[in-house]
Amino acid sequence: MKSLIRLIAAMALTLAFGSAASAKTLVYCSEASPEGFDPALYTAGTTFDAASRTVYNRLVEFKHGSTEIEPGLAESWTISDDGKEYTFKLRPNVKFQTTDFFTPTRDLDADDVIFSFERQLDEKSPWNQYVSGASWEYASGMGFPKLIKSVEKLDDLTVKFVLNRPEAPFLADLAMDFASIMSKEYADKLQADSQMGQLNQKPLGTGPFQFVAYQPDAVIRYKANPTYFKGKEKIDDLIFAITTDASVRAQKLKANECQIMPYPNAADVKSLQSDPNLKVDEQNGLNVAYLAYNTTQAPFDKPEVRKALNMAINKQAIIDAVFQGAATPAKNPIPPTMWGYNDAVKDDPYDPEAAKKMLADAGVKDLSMKIWAMPVSRPYMLNARRAAELMQADLEKVGVKAQIVSYEWGEYLEKSKAKDRDGAVMLGWTGDNGDPDNFLDTLLGCDAVGGNNRAQWCDKEFDDLVKKAKEVSDQAARAKLYEEAQVVFKKQAPWLTIDHSKVFMPMQKSVKGFHLDPLGYHRFDGVDIEQ
């Protein structure tokens, strides 16, 4: 039966996209569908894999497999002595992709850069709400509308960002997915045709692969961009076969129906490692999984209640069951491999009896709550449902009734942002730029409330520390401020910090040039496959 299912799947791909026997085709078993194809609108790695890292580029990029910045669409840049002006010189002759839905008439220029940012910063822009309810989570959560005074065109190939204050991580921020550069000419055409929503459905950029077609919840197809400024990729056709079940992804990989898969079940790792046709790369993830309480809703508005619930949950049991030991308990909101990590912080101990007493002392009894469990595998949480079940059982022991809820992935991410959301939402984060700011301010700062800050937690002491750290250029001084912020975080307990996980990436041995990325990206530029 399994062979028949695989045959049907292969025939379906062929019927949908035609045979490519003479071309090099790489199939990636993606874990979920993208929320859309405009990376500035979202924060999920699934969406970034499908959009920003395939179709688009940024002014600056992260080198493969590192957090080091290198030139991207900008071939060079200068920073003023006061740290408030960044001037970028764009590469000449960079082509936007020619597709069956748009043919560009000009190369990349400063207007494209200005458009890509102003739509996120200016509420009066016709593109600011081209998708209903657009919150521009990254730009808003990182305070870009307050930070950036202007984006100016000095000439066709020179752009200057003027800031209202120095911002230490600004250059690294521009290498993040939300800063992908769009075609203003394409956007203008869509606006003239009253088809603005297509910008989020039919992406067009300068990147290594260009979008061909998307069958929702099934397949995304790309082809190599023949005019890519770094040269055409060795892979001719790239296919994302959306496969939400990790066990099925592993079966497909073993059958060579896909050549790379992310996020295997912990129980499958040894079997994949022992397969003579496969190789399994691994590294410690720059990540954290957490359960965010809605700190605006009683009784979760009380730190002592949040800490009591944290003490009721056995994190080690979750790690043993979900990761089979391939993770470590988290006590801070940043991973221990990141500079600025405060190892002196003491974790809330697993102590059900003390948790019971704390709840009683806080006047809490007969508490019922919801635990939101992700419907997809993530690097920091391979099986959220199983983790939620363990939390549910632990909470029952201290007299708390927990109901587990979930939604389709895109809906889950959208609903969980609501300021009046009930219960505690399970999510996590993989660092986007190697800077503590990307965790502490992006996920917990006051600017991120209603967006990435799922705890809806705005603490002035914490916020002042992380905001001050942005303006300091000396890394040792910044690290000290971040260490103080972690002490405040632990005292206030807006999250249950769950784990930092190891990341495994199984693939066929025929795959060459694929790098496990410390920032959690799945990039296919520079990848080849032996036929």
Side-chain angles (χ1 to χ4, degrees):
M1 178 59 74
K2 290 180 181 178
S3 297
L4 179 59
I5 292 171
R6 289 195 290 264
L7 178 60
I8 292 171
M11 289 174 65
L13 283 174
T14 301
L15 288 171
F17 302 120
S19 175
S22 61
K24 284 191 176 183
T25 300
L26 186 142
V27 180
Y28 169 65
C29 275
S30 176
E31 77 284 2
S33 299
E35 303 152 274
F37 289 92
D38 181 346
L41 291 170
Y42 308 108
T43 62
T46 305
T47 300
F48 295 157
D49 290 345
S52 45
R53 297 291 154 178
T54 48
V55 177
Y56 294 107
N57 293 108
R58 289 137 296 279
L59 292 172
V60 294
E61 306 277 11
F62 293 113
K63 286 185 177 179
H64 262 306
S66 90
T67 58
E68 184 180 348
I69 298 293
E70 66 178 1
L73 294 175
E75 60 183 8
S76 64
W77 56 88
T78 58
I79 305 172
S80 63
D81 291 341
D82 64 1
K84 293 183 180 181
E85 294 186 0
Y86 288 69
T87 304
F88 295 90
K89 199 71 178 176
L90 304 181
R91 292 181 187 275
N93 306 313
V94 173
K95 311 292 182 187
F96 282 101
Q97 298 150 359
T98 297
T99 68
D100 61 0
F101 51 87
F102 184 73
T103 300
T105 65
R106 64 166 177 80
D107 295 344
L108 169 85
D109 67 21
D111 291 332
D112 302 305
V113 178
I114 292 171
F115 166 75
S116 299
F117 286 92
E118 283 194 344
R119 69 199 185 103
Q120 304 181 55
L121 305 174
D122 183 4
E123 292 181 355
K124 296 179 181 178
S125 166
W127 285 95
N128 187 260
Q129 288 297 310
Y130 88 97
V131 171
S132 179
S135 61
W136 308 104
E137 286 185 64
Y138 262 124
S140 298
M142 295 166 67
F144 266 39
K146 298 176 184 176
L147 170 67
I148 298 176
K149 183 177 181 180
S150 62
V151 186
E152 302 172 4
K153 176 179 178 178
L154 303 187
D155 60 46
D156 282 349
L157 293 176
T158 311
V159 182
K160 180 168 71 173
F161 288 73
V162 181
L163 309 185
N164 285 310
R165 63 175 188 273
E167 181 88 349
F170 185 67
L171 195 62
D173 291 345
L174 293 184
M176 291 167 57
D177 300 80
F178 81 99
S180 296
I181 304 303
M182 324 287 278
S183 165
K184 183 178 186 297
E185 184 185 21
Y186 177 46
D188 287 345
K189 179 67 164 60
L190 293 175
Q191 186 174 0
D193 293 345
S194 299
Q195 295 288 326
M196 295 170 71
Q198 293 293 305
L199 192 67
N200 193 35
Q201 297 172 29
K202 292 184 176 181
L204 183 142
T206 58
F209 295 94
Q210 58 191 59
F211 176 84
V212 175
Y214 173 41
Q215 182 181 344
D217 301 323
V219 181
I220 316 171
R221 188 183 177 192
Y222 312 85
K223 67 178 182 180
N225 176 8
T227 61
Y228 186 42
F229 68 89
K230 292 185 180 181
K232 181 182 174 296
E233 294 296 326
K234 295 175 182 178
I235 296 298
D236 297 293
D237 294 288
L238 174 64
I239 294 172
F240 279 34
I242 298 165
T243 312
T244 58
D245 188 297
S247 296
V248 176
R249 290 199 298 276
Q251 292 170 11
K252 286 185 175 183
L253 182 70
K254 288 189 169 190
N256 200 23
E257 291 171 16
C258 60
Q259 287 74 53
I260 305 177
M261 66 160 285
Y263 319 135
N265 286 326
D268 292 335
V269 170
K270 286 187 177 180
S271 171
L272 292 165
Q273 289 172 328
S274 65
D275 190 309
N277 297 313
L278 304 179
K279 56 185 176 181
V280 181
D281 290 351
E282 63 181 83
Q283 68 179 14
N284 290 323
L286 195 72
N287 61 36
V288 63
Y290 61 83
L291 187 73
Y293 305 106
N294 188 339
T295 61
T296 67
Q297 305 291 313
F300 309 109
D301 55 340
K302 296 180 179 179
E304 60 269 31
V305 172
R306 302 192 294 263
K307 290 185 80 69
L309 296 175
N310 288 356
M311 292 170 65
I313 294 172
N314 186 344
K315 293 191 288 192
Q316 188 61 54
I318 293 172
I319 288 167
D320 292 343
V322 175
F323 296 95
Q324 298 195 4
T328 56
K331 63 181 181 180
N332 289 322
I334 65 174
T337 52
M338 176 169 276
W339 64 269
Y341 181 82
N342 190 344
D343 197 37
V345 166
K346 301 297 182 185
D347 202 5
D348 297 317
Y350 171 54
D351 191 338
E353 291 304 315
K356 274 185 189 179
K357 184 176 185 305
M358 285 181 70
L359 289 171
D361 290 346
V364 176
K365 59 181 180 178
D366 300 323
L367 175 62
S368 294
M369 62 180 288
K370 291 181 179 177
I371 297 175
W372 291 45
M374 296 170 293
V376 297
S377 302
R378 305 306 301 143
Y380 43 75
M381 181 49 65
L382 298 178
N383 190 331
R385 182 78 192 191
R386 179 65 180 132
E389 289 169 350
L390 292 168
M391 293 178 187
Q392 182 183 49
D394 285 341
L395 291 171
E396 187 176 5
K397 294 173 186 175
V398 299
V400 176
K401 293 181 180 179
Q403 176 190 358
I404 300 171
V405 299
S406 192
Y407 302 91
E408 179 273 328
W409 184 221
E411 186 179 10
Y412 184 96
L413 292 169
E414 186 62 30
K415 283 180 176 291
S416 63
K417 292 186 293 186
K419 292 182 180 180
D420 61 352
R421 184 206 75 236
D422 55 355
V425 62
M426 197 186 313
L427 267 174
W429 196 256
T430 298
D432 286 292
N433 61 14
D435 195 293
D437 173 77
N438 183 242
F439 285 79
L440 299 177
D441 192 38
T442 300
L443 300 180
L444 292 157
C446 292
D447 288 332
V449 169
N452 284 326
N453 187 339
R454 290 334 200 261
Q456 316 302 342
W457 180 65
C458 180
D459 182 272
K460 187 177 187 305
E461 183 181 5
F462 178 91
D463 203 59
D464 286 348
L465 287 166
V466 297
K467 290 294 191 292
K468 184 178 179 181
K470 283 174 175 277
E471 300 181 23
V472 177
S473 58
D474 179 71
Q475 184 169 306
R478 292 185 71 207
K480 189 171 183 179
L481 290 166
Y482 289 134
E483 288 170 9
E484 292 178 37
Q486 288 164 75
V487 172
V488 176
F489 167 88
K490 204 65 185 179
K491 180 181 177 182
Q492 294 295 317
W495 294 351
L496 165 71
T497 49
I498 305 172
D499 71 81
H500 308 293
S501 73
K502 183 173 282 191
V503 177
F504 296 93
M505 184 63 61
M507 66 193 81
Q508 290 284 330
K509 286 184 177 177
S510 58
V511 174
K512 307 298 178 185
F514 183 88
H515 299 276
L516 252 181
D517 198 295
L519 303 175
Y521 302 131
H522 299 132
R523 293 175 56 176
F524 302 97
D525 54 315
V527 175
D528 196 4
I529 188 164
E530 293 179 346
Q531 292 183 322

